[in-house]
Amino acid sequence: MEPPARLNGGVVEEKKKHMADYQNFEYDVLVVGAGGAGLRAAIESSAAGVRVGMVCKSLLGKAHTVMAEGGIAAALANVDDRDSWKVHFADTMRGGQYVNNWRMAEIHAKEAPDRVRELEAWGAVFDRTADGKILQRNFGGHKYPRLAHVGDRTGLELIRTLQDHGIHQGIEVHMEHTVVAILKDRERVSGVLAYERERGRFKIFKTRAIVLATGGIGRAYKITSNSWDYTGDGHSLAYHAGAELIDLEFVQFHPTGMIWPPSVMGILVTEGVRGEGGVLRNKDGTRFMFGDIPDNYKAQTADNEEEGWRYCQGDKSARRPPELLTRDHVARCIVREIKEGRGSPHGGVYLDISWIKQKLPKAAEHIQRKLPSMYHQFKQLADIDITREAMEVGPTTHYVMGGIRVHPDTQMSSVPGLFAAGECAAGINGANRLGGNSLSDILVFGKRAGEFAARFARENPAGVIDGDHVEEAVTQALGPFDRATQGENPYQIQRDLQEMMQDLVGIVRKEEEMARALKGLETLWERACKVGTSGNREYNPGWHTALDLKNLLTVSEAVTRSAIDRQESRGAQFRDDYPRKDDAKWGNVNIVLRKGADGAMQLRHEPIPLMPSHLKQVLDEMK
């Protein structure tokens, strides 16, 4: 499914411009996205002595990274000295159901501690142990307390620290700009075309290397923890530029999002609540997670409530409570309770941290100190005091494990000069991401992307900007204004897409429903090609939404095609018609997508490279 090369043949004055009439900028490395991955990449490229520019869709400091609350996963071993990179590696591979890129998982586990210490040296203020070390907390899927944190505002502290450090590096930032196309000189990148969101003016950024750090795709779904700008921009830009995508069937539904009142549906409730002792109960008060513990986690999971509580209090002899199993499993257990009639009044379950008053003499003060954001979030948005009452929660679209296929060491995609890091890149997480791995991922691979993008820029001359490509992209972008009177409202198309993806390609999937979604996507593509926008280009959110549709439809098609193709249940992919994991057929396979010469989405299976013996030994030791 692919829109026509020209969305409309009408005439708008700017379409007639020569590319020299647009404002031009030139950099050695251009970073697209100003979250943790983008900032870390820009800092590293700048440190290499090349000229760095940054384009971000929102204001600097408003990146989605600030919503990552629980902590940064790194085997510092400050709280439990049994932790190591080997345990972290094994946890990550087990959580990803062994379809991860093992090399990325290895690099991540080994380098995450240095990235956290580096952040500390740059001024990050972490919570501390009694002897002054960085404090670490428990989180789902991690064998030991591993998440370095700042209360439940860790992402905010990470962004603050990177920005404060980055502003001294000579990085030029173009805020509130959206990239609409990657420009190429033959096979390699040569720049991007972007527009200024306030005034609607197009700009050309010429560059030798691009780092995409645009985050995820959550706005393709109706219920999501993701902010407005998570519309799959990087995934789509890379795909249409010829890069390969991988693992798009694996979309993570965080088990605990707010579900009431409706105005806050989907807003994240950090896993840190469960890490501090919060438990999940159904409407009957039953702590239901004890009833379904996967075989590969039984040896590491408590079989009674008392042991689970001791684990949360730091008892090294105790095993973790089942609420701290991987997110995919917890989300499915919650859905089961709801479907079988044991859900809460508003269609969720109860997450209760207030119960710890039975265990701690000053429980209310403890909760407010450990979870300040959650306390204020529920008090202000739902009039609930979490120190006294349970929260109603339910699964929310949160993260995509799939993304741009990159080289594990350099982060370069299959397009020369095009790099990616963070959520828009793929490989490290496999079928399911462990909580906290996202923040260490963006630090580890943001640094590597910036390092190797700078090296590429130094070793290769600047490419040529294709003026015809620029004009074609501008024509497509301005097409909705030609249909101002007869074109369809972009918000309606976006809403219909979100409802369809939520209903047909959500947590529990069936081939029949996903086939209907593919048909629906064909219709939505046709409607998107006829979308209309009124008014002018200044301050026009309707136009911005119209331009987002191509990205949203591209990633939705990629998710749906991949999910149909993988005929098994693994990690975040749960097929009701194929409920079991099929290691014989799918245990060593990644699904790779690319744009064919005819514009159609092509899919192939690629075997996972053989893991070296020393890493196999690590997995065997950590079972």
Side-chain angles (χ1 to χ4, degrees), residues 294-505:
D295 290 340
N296 61 331
Y297 282 100
K298 281 186 177 177
Q300 299 180 5
T301 306
D303 56 15
N304 63 82
E305 295 187 10
E306 185 61 31
E307 182 182 12
W309 169 248
R310 287 192 287 110
Y311 176 92
C312 291
Q313 292 303 292
D315 185 341
K316 293 183 179 180
S317 67
R319 296 170 296 175
R320 63 185 164 215
E323 281 86 358
L324 290 178
L325 287 165
T326 56
R327 290 174 173 177
D328 58 319
H329 178 73
V330 177
R332 284 196 294 273
C333 288
I334 291 173
V335 169
R336 180 197 64 214
E337 293 298 304
I338 297 167
K339 285 189 172 181
E340 295 180 3
R342 297 185 292 273
S344 62
H346 299 108
V349 295
Y350 294 107
L351 173 60
D352 187 10
I353 186 72
S354 68
W355 80 278
I356 69 172
K357 60 179 175 282
Q358 303 169 21
K359 300 287 187 179
L360 299 177
K362 295 183 178 181
E365 291 88 340
H366 176 82
I367 292 168
Q368 289 185 47
R369 184 176 72 254
K370 289 288 188 177
L371 302 163
S373 293
M374 289 300 98
Y375 175 79
H376 290 293
Q377 179 173 308
F378 274 89
K379 193 68 176 172
Q380 294 172 6
L381 300 180
D383 195 26
I384 289 174
D385 182 347
I386 68 172
T387 69
R388 297 173 179 270
E389 6 176 14
M391 303 157 255
E392 279 193 81
V393 298
T396 179
T397 313
H398 182 58
Y399 191 92
V400 61
M401 277 67 73
I404 303 161
R405 191 182 191 194
V406 294
H407 187 281
D409 289 87
T410 68
Q411 296 297 108
M412 189 161 77
S413 72
S414 54
V415 175
L418 181 62
F419 298 77
E423 190 173 354
C424 72
I428 178 180
N429 297 303
N432 180 61
R433 175 179 67 82
L434 299 186
N437 270 2
S438 59
L439 289 187
S440 43
D441 169 15
I442 62 181
L443 292 173
V444 169
F445 294 109
K447 176 189 181 297
R448 280 182 168 260
E451 175 188 349
F452 286 97
R455 182 180 299 182
F456 184 93
R458 288 197 305 267
E459 295 174 353
N460 292 274
V464 176
I465 299 291
D466 183 343
D468 289 340
H469 188 183
V470 170
E471 296 309 316
E472 181 182 16
V474 170
T475 298
Q476 289 189 21
L478 293 176
F481 289 108
D482 296 338
R483 299 181 292 275
T485 56
Q486 76 274 21
E488 188 173 356
N489 187 325
Y491 293 105
Q492 186 61 53
I493 299 174
Q494 184 184 47
R495 179 177 177 179
D496 290 348
L497 170 67
Q498 290 170 336
E499 291 185 346
M500 184 186 74
M501 291 298 291
Q502 190 78 35
D503 294 342
L504 303 181
V505 200

Side-chain angles (χ1 to χ4, degrees), residues 103-169:
R103 174 59 179 157
M104 290 183 75
E106 177 190 16
I107 290 170
H108 171 254
K110 286 180 175 179
E111 296 184 3
D114 285 342
R115 299 286 75 77
V116 173
R117 295 187 189 101
E118 180 179 66
L119 208 62
E120 181 185 31
W122 290 349
V125 182
F126 289 100
D127 289 358
R128 299 285 168 177
T129 63
D131 57 355
K133 296 178 181 178
I134 295 174
L135 185 61
Q136 296 179 273
R137 66 162 38 124
N138 296 304
F139 235 59
H142 295 280
K143 189 174 184 179
Y144 302 123
R146 185 176 290 144
L147 270 71
H149 60 279
V150 185
D152 56 359
R153 298 168 175 163
T154 312
L156 181 61
E157 182 69 4
L158 185 151
I159 284 290
R160 181 198 67 79
T161 303
L162 290 179
Q163 283 184 183
D164 285 354
H165 186 77
I167 59 173
H168 301 291
Q169 308 304 307

Side-chain angles (χ1 to χ4, degrees), residues 30-42 53-58 60 63 65 159 173-174 177 179 210-215 229 421 424:
L30 182 73
V31 179
V32 183
L39 283 167
R40 190 61 191 83
M54 176 177 282
V55 174
C56 54
K57 200 170 181 180
S58 60
L60 194 64
T65 304
I159 284 290
V173 182
H174 303 266
H177 284 66
V179 175
I210 298 168
V211 177
L212 293 175
T214 56
D229 51 347
C424 72

